[in-house]
Amino acid sequence: MLSAAQLRDFEENGFLVVENLIDKETVLDPLIAEYEELLRELRATWVAEGHLAPDAPAETFQDLIKSAYQAGLDYFQPMDISLPPGDIPPDLPFHAGPAVFRMMTDGHLLDCIQSIIGPEITSNPIQHVRLKPPSTMLDHDETRAHITATEWHQDRAVTLEEADRTRMVTCWLAITDATVENGCLQVVRGSHRGDMKPHCPVPQPAIPDDFIDRDAITPLPVKAGGGILFHPLTIHGSLINHTDDVRWSFDLRYNVTGDPTGRPFFPDFIARSDAAPASVLGDPDEWRRLWERTRATLSAQRQDVKIHRWSADAAPCA
Ligand SMILES: O=C(O)CCC(=O)C(=O)O
Ligand SMILES: [Fe+2]
């Protein structure tokens, strides 16, 4: 649980940095091992398809992410823990592995979430991995927020309107140390006490600069295994990765069970409940199947999945 002082901090500032939010041995290391295995499998496919040389020298996870990016290979979607917006093909890869589920349902992490939103906790399906290569390596037209720096935004604004009153919290987790140099998260302190700002949707949903209180900008470095909890109206983004290494994080969200998630076509699940303990999902395979069924349904519908409300024609976007 969070202490009273931590809760006061969260309420006052709209965010809270929590060191050692997930345990290294039982959560972080197995997660890294699961992703190393996944990347080895992806590499084998890329080699078989002739995209990568079979005899690459002993590569680290970091090296392989970088060479995949440079070869124009999409490592992101097969490693992401969600589906993208748009038209979804029936075989689109994604990753819903047991170590990810273990992280999302970790007891200590949920204790901290419970301190903020109470004991009826739903795992919200707006969730991503971010593996950000060095900025010098990126294509000049790279704009994806999972690969390059993230523009200023509020998480409430990247849901549909149905979730505008949802009691929700974002949990950003550092898998590698996040530093000012490698592009850690940054927030506008106290911005959760304001309203929802306009977002210009292209290329990333971004709050125009005029709405940002520059004096309140606070970068939030955090060590691997640590996390940042923040309010859905807290304005945040991330810095540019100026190092030679890949910056790796996850962002998860939780909401009060019964409140709309903001992405009704994606699967949520109950992560904790005092009122109905039997409703809690404990089986990682069932969680994976929820996403597989969602992919099958959405691909059969062949319609564009819309994930936010913003239009590029709005006045502040001119
Ligand atoms: O890690 C990032 O670049 C941005 C993360 C973010 O926007 C979030 O966690 O909501
Ligand atoms: Fe965000």
Side-chain angles (χ1 to χ4, degrees), residues 148-165:
T148 186
T150 304
E151 305 275 5
W152 293 117
H153 68 280
Q154 291 159 308
D155 278 2
R156 176 143 285 161
V158 294
T159 69
L160 297 177
E161 286 94 322
E162 59 162 42
D164 279 358
R165 272 186 289 281

Side-chain angles (χ1 to χ4, degrees), residues 130 132 150 153 155 172 185 230 236 238 247 251 253:
R130 306 201 193 226
K132 305 199 179 196
T150 304
H153 68 280
D155 278 2
W172 187 99
L185 200 77
F230 60 92
H236 62 284
S238 68
R247 193 220 81 175
D251 37 279
R253 287 161 194 77

Side-chain angles (χ1 to χ4, degrees), residues 125-144:
I126 306 175
Q127 53 191 16
H128 292 291
V129 69
R130 306 201 193 226
L131 285 149
K132 305 199 179 196
S135 62
T136 48
M137 194 174 275
L138 299 180
D139 300 337
H140 68 277
D141 55 353
E142 179 60 75
T143 56
R144 291 172 291 170

Side-chain angles (χ1 to χ4, degrees), residues 6 8-9 18 24 30 55 78 82 100 105 126 132 165 184 211 221 250 259 278:
Q6 284 176 307
R8 262 200 311 279
D9 245 31
V18 184
K24 179 164 163 42
D55 55 351
S82 181
V100 175
T105 55
I126 306 175
K132 305 199 179 196
R165 272 186 289 281
C184 65
F211 292 87
F250 283 90
D259 285 1

